[in-house]
Amino acid sequence: MIQSTGKKYSAIVIGVSAGGLAALDRILPKLNSDFSIPILVVQHISADSENYLPQHFSVRCAQEVKEAEDKEPIAQGTIYIAPPNYHLMVECDRTVALSIDPKVNFSRPSIDVLFETAADAYCDELVGLVLTGGNSDGAKGLAKIKKLGGLTVVQSPETAEVDAMPLAALEAVEPDHVVPLKDIANFLNDINDEGL
């Protein structure tokens, strides 16, 4: 059982790669209808593929799900998905920024880029979550979230379809929580309802 401290958070960032659709399917549609903390998601995806995730999740989630757009303010009750071939970043005024800067960790969008910019914008009001994946993207960004006082969460590697990304995150930082995939949706609901 996780002890609640009542701390409130202003944003959640999620990084996911191989096995991501199945993992996100077990999390996002299970968020409560009154879930209000904005969520920003980087799913590694081919640069020339269509971004099917917003459409896929918009019919499954109570929250608005959309592809992130440059310069838009980050709103409560909204899930933002990084578009293919763009880095998704958060500006200090808590608006979205998109970039075609060089790939990071062979990836664009890069999880580290999202996590590091969001950490700068939200500091200790941010939750970072690393899910299944086949490389180390997200580990460096999660360490920055921890350094700036945010809440760090890693999917337990034994529940990941591909465990390389959770293992890399665990090697880079001692997270606040390691959570099995089946429990992550309820964990996030608790954060939204009570804080942690």
Side-chain angles (χ1 to χ4, degrees):
M1 180 143 187
I2 296 168
Q3 183 71 37
S4 172
T5 64
K7 180 173 175 55
K8 293 296 183 185
Y9 294 93
S10 298
I12 296 170
V13 288
I14 298 176
V16 62
S17 187
L21 179 60
L24 291 172
D25 258 336
R26 295 189 60 184
I27 299 171
L28 299 180
K30 294 183 179 179
L31 298 178
N32 294 334
S33 60
D34 63 349
F35 193 98
S36 61
I37 302 174
I39 298 175
L40 299 100
V41 179
V42 164
Q43 157 77 69
H44 289 160
I45 190 169
S46 172
D48 56 358
S49 66
E50 291 191 23
N51 193 1
Y52 56 89
L53 293 176
Q55 184 177 7
H56 177 85
F57 286 109
S58 66
V59 297
R60 291 168 172 79
C61 296
Q63 294 70 32
E64 179 183 5
V65 183
K66 65 189 304 283
E67 187 171 271
E69 297 179 30
D70 197 34
K71 309 299 183 197
E72 70 176 314
I74 295 171
Q76 289 196 333
T78 306
I79 299 172
Y80 300 89
I81 309 286
N85 208 28
Y86 285 90
H87 289 304
L88 171 58
M89 301 180 296
V90 178
E91 300 283 6
C92 286
D93 63 357
R94 300 183 177 181
T95 58
V96 168
L98 300 178
S99 159
I100 54 170
D101 285 345
K103 294 180 178 180
V104 176
N105 300 318
F106 309 102
S107 303
R108 190 174 57 216
S110 161
I111 299 164
D112 277 340
V113 170
L114 171 62
F115 280 19
E116 290 177 352
T117 58
D120 285 333
Y122 288 99
C123 298
D124 65 348
E125 299 173 28
L126 181 67
V127 178
L129 170 60
V130 173
L131 298 174
T132 177
N135 65 17
S136 64
D137 197 17
K140 186 176 171 187
L142 197 69
K144 182 164 183 177
I145 292 171
K146 178 87 174 183
K147 181 179 178 184
L148 295 184
L151 186 74
T152 51
V153 186
V154 177
Q155 178 183 357
S156 57
E158 64 272 18
T159 70
E161 187 171 323
V162 182
D163 65 5
M165 215 157 76
L167 288 172
L170 291 172
E171 187 173 317
V173 62
E174 184 176 335
D176 298 294
H177 302 279
V178 179
V179 183
L181 178 60
K182 68 179 179 61
D183 295 333
I184 290 176
N186 285 336
F187 179 84
L188 295 179
N189 283 324
D190 287 345
I191 289 175
N192 184 71
D193 293 343
E194 306 167 14
L196 281 177

